[in-house]
Amino acid sequence: METFDPAELPELLKLYYRRLFPYAQYYRWLNYGGVIKNYFQHREFSFTLKDDIYIRYQSFNNQSDLEKEMQKMNPYKIDIGAVYSHRPNQHNTVKLGAFQAQEKELVFDIDMTDYDDVRRCCSSADICSKCWTLMTMAIRIIDRALKEDFGFKHRLWVYSGRRGIHCWVCDESVRKLSSAVRSGIVEYLSLVKGGQDVKKKVHLSEKIHPFVSKSINIIKKYFEEYALVDQDILENKESWDKILALVPETIHEKLQQNFQKCHSSLQRWEYLKQGINCQDNTKNDKCGPWLEWEIMLQYCFPRLDINVSKGINHLLKSPFSVHPKTGRISVPIDLQKVDQFDPFTVPTISSICHELDAISINDEGREGNEAESDIKHRTRDYKKTSLAPYIKVFEQFLEKLDKSRKGELLKKSDLVTTPVWEQ
Amino acid sequence: MQFSGGKRKKLRLTGDQRTVSYPHSLQFYLEPPSESISLIEFESLAIDRVKLLKTVENLGVSYVKGTEPYRSKLENEIRKLKFSFRENLEDEYEPRRKDHISHFILRLAYCQSEDLRRWFIQQEMDLLRFRFSILPKDKIQNFLKDSHLHFEAIPFADALDLFRGRKVYLEGGFAYVPLRDIVAIVLNEFRAKLSKALALTARSLPAVQSDERLQPLLNHLSHSYTGQDYSTQKNAGKISLDQIDSLSTKSFPPCMRQLHKALRDNHHLRHGGRMQYGLFLKGIGLTLEQALQFWKQEFIRGKMDPDKFDKGYSYNIRHSFGKEGKRTDYTPFSCLKIILTNPPSQGDYHGCPFRHSDPELLKQKLQSYKISPGGIHQILDLVKGSHYQVACQKYFEMIHNVDDCGFSLSHPNQFFFESQRILSGNKDIRKESIQPETPQPKPSVQKAKDASSALACLNSSLEMDMEGLEDYFSE
C-alpha cells in the first residue's frame, strides 16, 4: 500500500473525482428514485476546499451537474446536509424564515475519542486493532436496535476514515422524523452518562429493559477477548484501581489482596465477579449481576453524540469522501462481515490511484482507443481497484432501497412506475 | 359555538341537527355541541357543573384520591347532579348530553385568566381520571378505539415520552404500552388539548362577552363559588325574630354566631359586620320589615336615637334589600368572599373566625361553644393547614353530632340550611352519608388525617384566588 502524503491530495483528488468517485451510485442514493420532486436538487452539500476554505449551501441539478462541480472544485471534504424547502444554492433569494430544512436521514456518529477513559491502548485520534472492537460492538448493538426495536430497514454503516463510524438510516419515514423524536431515539440508545468528573457512568434499574439485556448479551461475546485480553483492564494496580472505583469500598481491600495473587485479568475478573455478586451488589435487597453488567457496559457500550443525530440540518461527512489526514476513503461497512472489518485495510486515495495507474498502463496497451468516454472508463475503473468491494456493498444497499420503494409504489397506486435514474 | 344577537330568550347554537350520539359515559369533549338551548338551561347546566367541579376539588383535599370515601362521595355527587356516570346504564343520553354541553359552557367562563384556566383543567382532569377508574376494562378498549387511540401497538414516533426512557417495549417500530400507562398518556393528551382549546376560546371571548345575556352569567360563574347564592327569598317570613337568639347557637356558622353575639353585647355593629350579618339574615328568610325592626331594636338598646337610625341605618338596610338606589338585590356573602375580602380590624366582628381569629382566641371561643377537646384539636389542625371551610364543616359536625356533615361548605347560608335540615329530622341527610348505624369515631379521624395529609391541592376557593396555582398541578 502506498503511503499517503497529504501534500499530494490536490493531484490525487483530481484523479479520484475524474475516474473513481461513484457518481452514478451516489446520485441513485440521494435521488431516492426521483419519487419526490426536487429531492436531490434541494439537498445541501458542503465542501471543504484546499486551505480549509469551507463553503455551505451547495446544491446541484442532477448527477452530471454534481460531477462537473466536484471536478471543478476538487473538494478535500464533502459533507451531506438536509433536504431543504428551496435549492440551497439559492437560499439568499428566499424570504427570511421561509428557507427551512425539511428532511434528512437519521445519522449516528461514533467516535473513538469518546472512549478515551476506558481504552488503554490509544487515545485521541489514534486507533488500533485492540480498540477497534469497540466499534464492532457498537455496530452490532446499535444496528440490532435500529432494525429490531425501531423497525428501520435501510441502514448504511460507513467508516469515517480515521477514528470512527457513521450510520445513515434512510427509510422514507425516518427522513421525516422531527428533531424531538431523533433525540428520543438517541436517548433510548444511551446508557453511558457523564463526563470526566463522573466515575460511575452506568446505572441500571432493577428492571432490565430488553434493549439493555440484548446489548449485554452482545457485549458478552466480545468481553473476554476485548477487555480482559486485548485491553487487559485488570493488568496492574493502576488499571484495576479504576475499576475498583466503580465497586463499593467495603470489598476493595479483599479484592486488592486477591488481585495480587492472580496472574491475569481473566483471573482477576473472576474474583471481581465473586466479590460483587451477592454481597454488596444488591438492587433493593436482591442479589444479582447488576454491578458486573454496569462495569461491562461502561467499558464496552456505544457512546453516541446526540448533537449529530438530533439536528435535521446537521452536516455529516459523505460516504466516499476522502479523509484529508489519513487519505482513507469513507467506505461502507459490510454488515455481514462486521467482525472482519479492518480499518487499516481500507484503501487510501493514494493506493487506489496507484492501482488505477497500473491498470491504465495495461489497458492502453490493449485498447488504444482514447476517445472512449470517461464514463465508460470509470465504470470499469473502480471495479479494478480495491474500492470495488465497498462499492458493491453500497450497491446492495441501494438495491434494497429500490426494492422497498417499488413495493411501496405498488401499494400506493395501480400503475407501476419504474424509477429512472442516470447511469 | 356562535351566538346570535338580539333580545330573544332562546339562544341558538349554530350547527347541524339535534342528534348527537354519546356512545360512552365519558368523553374528551372534542366537538362542541351544536344545538339550541334556552338561556335557563344554559345557566342551570353551567351551575351544576361548577358544583360538580367544586366537589371534585373539595373531595380532592379532604380525601386521598382514588380511595373509597373519595370515590363513593364523588359518585354520589355525580348522580345527584345527574351527570353521566356509568358506562352500561340505560337512559344515559340526557346525563351525557348535560356533561357535554356544560363542559363547553364552562370553557367560556374559565378561559379568561391563567388562574381560572388552571383550576378548570385540574378539576376536569380529576373528574376524567375518576371516570376512567370506574370504567370496566373491556369498556376501556372500546372507548379508546372510538376515540381513535391505539393502545396495543403505538408507532414509536407517537410514544416519544414512553420509549425515550425505555419505559416500554419496542419492537418493529411499535411501542407496546400496558393499560395503566395508557390512562396516563391519555390524560396528558387531554390536558394538553384542553389547555390549547381554552387559550383559543379566550381569544374569541370578546364576541361572547358582548352578548349581554351571557356576560353577567359567565362572570358570575367564575367569580362566585357556585350558583346557590341564597338571594332568592324562599324562606321569607318563615323565621320570627325571637327565634334568632336560639338559632344563632344551634344553626349559625361561627362567623354569624359571633356577629350576633357582638350585636347583642354591644348593641352595635360596624359597617362590615352589618353587611355580612345583615345579608345573611336576609338569606335565612328575614323580610325587609323584620330586618328593619331587628336592627332598630338592637341599636336603640344601644342608646341610639330612633331618628338617627331611620335617617342613617334604615336606608342602608333597605338598600341591601334592593329597595333603594340602583336596586341591586345584594346577595349574602359566600365563604370565599368573607375569607378573602375586607379583613376585620380592631373593633370589627366580621370575617371568618377560622381565618381571622388568633388560634388561641379561636380555641377559647370553641371551648365556650362546648366543643370537645378532640374536636377543637382537629379544627385547629385544619386551620393550620389553611383549610378554613373544612374546619367550619368540622364545627358543624361537632355541634350536630354527626360524623359527616354531608356537604361541601362554601356559604354561611348553606351552613344554616343544612343545619336546619338535620334539626328538622330530614332523612335525606342520613342517606347520603355512608355511615353505619352507630357513628364511629374512626371515619372522622381518618377524614381529618386525610385532610391534613392532602397536600397536593390546597383547599378550594381560598387558594384559587390567592397565589399561583402551581400546587394544583402536582399529580
Side-chain angles (χ1 to χ4, degrees), chain B residues 269-296:
Chain B
L269 274 182
R270 284 182 172 184
H271 179 259
R274 291 200 304 273
M275 285 303 289
Q276 184 173 322
Y277 188 38
L279 289 172
F280 169 75
L281 290 174
K282 182 173 81 157
I284 68 173
L286 245 58
T287 62
L288 174 58
E289 292 65 35
Q290 285 176 305
L292 285 166
Q293 189 185 346
F294 175 74
W295 290 100
K296 189 168 180 175

Side-chain angles (χ1 to χ4, degrees), chain A residues 12-227:
Chain A
L12 293 169
L13 286 170
K14 227 165 134 191
L15 189 57
Y16 180 66
Y17 290 132
R18 201 162 62 82
R19 304 274 295 278
L20 292 164
F21 187 91
Y23 294 102
Q25 292 86 341
Y26 196 69
Y27 180 79
R28 189 174 153 198
W29 171 33
L30 294 174
N31 191 38
Y32 287 102
V35 177
I36 302 172
K37 197 169 168 228
N38 287 327
Y39 207 71
F40 182 80
Q41 291 74 9
H42 287 189
R43 170 80 67 169
E44 180 192 1
F45 296 85
S46 75
F47 290 162
T48 307
L49 308 178
K50 195 162 167 238
D51 300 324
D52 274 329
I53 298 170
Y54 181 67
I55 42 175
R56 269 193 76 174
Y57 300 113
Q58 302 300 293
S59 58
F60 312 103
N61 289 324
N62 48 41
Q63 181 185 327
S64 101
D65 191 20
L66 173 75
E67 271 188 57
K68 286 205 194 81
E69 287 301 306
M70 278 172 69
Q71 285 161 3
K72 187 168 94 185
M73 299 213 247
N74 227 30
Y76 273 37
K77 248 186 91 192
I78 303 170
D79 288 343
I80 301 176
V83 176
Y84 282 81
S85 53
H86 304 78
R87 284 164 195 258
N89 63 6
Q90 292 173 0
H91 75 282
N92 285 322
T93 67
V94 180
K95 186 175 78 178
L96 198 64
F99 180 68
Q100 299 285 342
Q102 290 180 328
E103 294 191 18
K104 195 173 71 68
E105 295 74 10
L106 171 63
V107 294
F108 298 96
D109 180 351
I110 304 175
D111 192 327
M112 202 69 96
T113 38
D114 290 339
Y115 296 79
D116 281 358
D117 58 315
V118 292
R119 54 176 183 150
R120 300 179 64 214
C121 49
C122 310
S123 70
S124 172
D126 298 326
I127 59 166
C128 72
S129 56
K130 285 190 186 159
C131 50
W132 184 258
T133 317
L134 284 168
M135 297 294 105
T136 309
M137 289 190 282
I139 296 177
R140 285 223 182 272
I141 290 172
I142 303 293
D143 197 66
R144 184 215 65 77
L146 294 175
K147 178 178 170 190
E148 293 174 10
D149 298 0
F150 288 98
F152 297 157
K153 296 198 173 66
H154 307 285
R155 314 165 310 276
L156 181 70
W157 287 88
V158 182
Y159 172 54
S160 74
R162 190 159 63 153
R163 63 189 190 211
I165 48 179
H166 301 157
C167 177
W168 296 76
V169 185
C170 304
D171 298 38
E172 188 185 336
S173 57
V174 175
R175 289 181 259 138
K176 298 180 162 75
L177 288 176
S178 70
S179 180
V181 176
R182 290 168 202 247
S183 296
I185 295 172
V186 174
E187 205 182 311
Y188 177 90
L189 299 169
S190 299
L191 277 177
V192 181
K193 293 174 186 153
Q196 278 177 341
D197 48 335
V198 176
K199 284 235 170 80
K200 189 146 184 291
K201 298 187 162 85
V202 181
H203 294 92
L204 296 175
S205 58
E206 192 185 329
K207 254 179 105 184
I208 302 286
H209 188 275
F211 167 76
V212 178
S213 55
K214 287 175 190 174
S215 303
I216 291 171
N217 287 337
I218 292 173
I219 290 174
K220 276 186 179 161
K221 296 195 185 119
Y222 296 88
F223 188 75
E224 190 175 297
E225 189 176 326
Y226 164 72

Side-chain angles (χ1 to χ4, degrees), chain A residues 366-380:
Chain A
R366 284 189 217 145
E367 304 270 345
N369 184 355
E370 284 169 35
E372 268 191 311
S373 66
D374 264 344
I375 291 172
K376 279 219 182 120
H377 256 287
R378 199 166 44 245
T379 322
R380 290 175 301 168

